Amino acid sequence: MRASLASSIAVTCAAVIALPVSLAAPAAAEVPPALGLPTAASGSPPALSAQPPAPELPGATQSLPLAPLGSSDRALGGGADGTDAQGLTRRDVRPFSLVGVVWDDPAAVLHGAVQVRTRATGGDVWSPWQDVETHNEEHGADPETTEGAGRALKGSTAPLWVGDSDGVEIRVRGEEPLPEGLRLELVDPGEDPAAAAPVTRTAAAPGPQAGLNAAEAAVSAVNAQLAAYGATWIPALAMAAAEVTFPYLPRVQEAEVQPADALAQPQTEAQDAEVEPAVAAAPAKPYIGPRPKIITRKGWGADEKIREKGFVYTKSIKAAFVHHSATGNNYTCKQAPSVLRSIYRYHVKSSGWRDFGYNFAVDKCGNIYEGRAGGVAKPVLGAHTLGFNTNSMGIAVLGTFSKSAPPAAAVTAVARLTAWKLGLHGVNPKGTSYLVSGGGNRYKKGTKVRFNAISGHRDGFATECPGVRLYGKLGTARTSSAKYQGRR
């Protein structure tokens, strides 16, 4: 099949010969038709001062301190002094859709049970008690990195999506003394940007029509070789074009990224845009899968003003860690952008992370979303697999798959995404790679560990994530991903 593509690849080569080989995107250049994008009228984005102001993105967080429960309120039991049973009785609150619990010390672990029940907005019926996943310490930035040692960090449970609600009740029972400073976080994702301000859903909207603020423009710039400024999605790209456009370039990665062990001064957005392209020889036979359609941060409505400025990179991508978000399965695919905005706000505003933790997200319908900012084709350092964020990427499948089987569309999306992204870095999805532990409960710091190229979170940390049912599908994902790359 590769031989039959020779002539079309040659045409594609001619069309993209002027494209810089670096994955960095210093400016919005005219995009060659071979990439599957219409060309822009102008070769560079207009000055930000000439753009209309970007609309304020909605969203809010209510943070409510928990209190000891009285003997009549402690439905879960507890000691006589109430120190190991805290919560809040039923109350009316402002609308929210996602809940979680945080506490002061990020190193403290909540050993116990957290349960909530909620009331749908405008109704009077309360939901049954729902469990909130308390074991969340295995997510986050690696120890001794700037993000991992940040003063804003808090301990946290996993977030739980409950849908549009205006009433809440919570109870927390500790099997040992509870962490100090327990607070209930109620996150309102706000109205979907597409509903609030309709836009043409095209990947070719140039800067003047996008109305980008500075932070949005920076996020869009690092994807400018894949989609025009302000694009709400990055279009799919056939294998032949993907292989020609982004061959594996080790020297480029070393030249343009900041090592994960030197994060005291994260690379700024302006610096990232000024990286000079490097040149390296491409392999004779790259195995890069077709690029899938990816919904950008602009597409799911990320508020770029709440994250930390700048992007932080690792050297390469050697493995992909698959997670479940543990937010529950009670969402529709139409609600997925709202779920993402809620998780993003919970990660940043409630948990104290610099940005959304995962590099990518996948919903139950198989839609793929850009996660942490920095460029979907680039080795962005995430905060997803404690101890092994360096030289890896994290993919969160939205939902909880401890007992429920993951939808086939989601597993297929993981395979398609990894075929492309791992292929950019010369990785065989059915192969193995070595990563060095940054510290965790399974491997001490400095341990060199061999992983499958597509691994589950539990492979690097003693955790239930990504759920036994999703973990059982990773073999299928590896095989499919390799086939998408054209491997036998």
Side-chain angles (χ1 to χ4, degrees):
M1 181 180 72
R2 293 179 177 274
S4 67
L5 291 174
S7 60
S8 60
I9 291 177
V11 172
T12 306
C13 287
V16 301
I17 192 68
L19 185 67
V21 295
S22 170
L23 296 184
E30 183 173 335
V31 184
L35 298 185
L37 296 174
T39 56
S42 173
S44 61
L48 291 177
S49 60
Q51 298 178 3
E56 289 293 323
L57 292 175
T61 302
Q62 302 170 69
S63 185
L64 308 177
L66 302 190
L69 293 175
S71 57
S72 60
D73 297 323
R74 279 186 272 133
L76 289 179
D81 60 1
T83 56
D84 59 354
Q86 297 186 30
L88 295 172
T89 56
R90 290 187 181 186
R91 63 194 58 213
D92 296 335
V93 293
R94 296 191 302 276
F96 67 97
S97 295
L98 179 140
V99 304
V101 174
V102 301
W103 51 92
D104 295 340
D105 184 1
V109 179
L110 196 164
H111 293 288
V114 177
Q115 292 183 311
V116 297
R117 56 183 172 189
T118 57
R119 183 189 62 208
T121 298
D124 55 10
V125 178
W126 287 79
S127 72
W129 286 106
Q130 299 185 74
D131 293 322
V132 177
E133 175 58 61
T134 59
H135 300 292
N136 197 46
E137 71 277 7
E138 65 269 21
H139 298 86
D142 289 348
E144 301 182 14
T145 62
T146 298
E147 183 177 6
R151 288 180 293 178
L153 285 181
K154 292 186 178 294
S156 61
T157 67
L160 177 69
W161 175 263
V162 294
D164 193 11
S165 307
D166 62 6
V168 68
E169 181 177 10
I170 182 171
R171 55 193 189 185
V172 180
R173 174 177 58 83
E175 297 170 355
E176 53 188 61
L178 293 170
E180 295 184 359
L182 290 174
R183 302 184 71 89
L184 173 65
E185 303 289 290
L186 304 175
V187 182
D188 171 20
E191 187 179 5
D192 188 279
V199 296
T200 302
R201 300 192 68 84
T202 172
Q209 297 177 12
L212 306 179
N213 59 39
E216 290 171 337
V219 169
S220 187
V222 288
N223 286 324
Q225 286 183 236
L226 311 180
Y229 274 73
T232 55
W233 49 270
I234 295 168
L237 190 65
M239 178 186 291
E243 289 180 341
V244 170
T245 306
F246 287 110
Y248 176 45
L249 299 173
R251 294 181 189 174
V252 172
Q253 293 164 7
E254 293 172 3
E256 74 175 352
V257 305
Q258 178 180 358
D261 58 359
L263 300 182
Q265 297 180 342
Q267 186 174 352
T268 67
E269 291 163 350
Q271 290 170 336
D272 182 80
E274 295 170 359
V275 172
E276 291 294 329
V279 178
K285 290 183 64 175
Y287 288 95
I288 302 175
R291 186 180 70 212
K293 174 183 174 180
I294 302 172
I295 298 170
T296 64
R297 290 169 64 94
K298 178 75 172 177
W300 56 263
D303 184 349
E304 301 298 349
K305 297 188 298 297
I306 71 172
R307 64 173 175 85
E308 288 189 23
K309 293 182 178 180
F311 311 125
V312 181
Y313 298 98
T314 185
K315 289 185 177 180
S316 184
I317 301 297
K318 297 181 179 180
F321 286 102
V322 178
H323 305 252
H324 65 176
S325 63
T327 46
N329 302 318
N330 297 322
Y331 73 93
T332 66
C333 294
K334 185 177 180 180
Q335 292 174 320
S338 295
V339 176
L340 289 172
R341 292 196 303 277
S342 298
I343 297 174
Y344 171 46
R345 180 171 283 272
Y346 184 74
H347 282 177
V348 176
K349 302 298 263 185
S350 299
S351 303
W353 299 2
R354 63 174 289 115
D355 193 356
F356 189 82
Y358 308 103
N359 298 103
F360 296 93
V362 172
D363 69 22
K364 62 175 63 177
C365 291
N367 297 306
I368 299 171
Y369 302 85
E370 178 183 16
R372 179 162 288 207
V376 297
K378 302 177 75 171
V380 178
L381 181 69
H384 47 82
T385 306
L386 187 70
F388 293 102
N389 292 303
T390 299
N391 295 333
S392 72
M393 71 177 191
I395 304 169
V397 181
L398 299 182
T400 303
F401 303 106
S402 304
K403 298 178 181 179
S404 300
V411 177
T412 298
V414 169
R416 294 176 62 225
L417 174 59
T418 52
W420 173 68
K421 186 64 182 279
L422 291 179
L424 295 180
H425 298 270
V427 177
N428 182 344
K430 294 178 68 175
T432 59
S433 298
Y434 284 92
L435 298 175
V436 178
S437 173
N441 68 357
R442 170 161 273 181
Y443 300 104
K444 65 180 182 180
K445 183 178 179 180
T447 304
K448 191 174 183 180
V449 184
R450 185 179 183 181
F451 289 102
N452 287 313
I454 300 177
S455 289
H457 187 183
R458 61 171 60 186
D459 293 320
F461 200 98
T463 175
E464 199 271 340
C465 183
V468 64
R469 302 295 296 275
L470 177 55
Y471 188 78
K473 295 293 185 180
L474 296 188
T476 300
R478 294 183 196 109
T479 300
S480 298
S481 183
K483 289 181 179 177
Y484 284 127
Q485 284 189 351
R487 299 178 187 270
R488 295 182 179 178

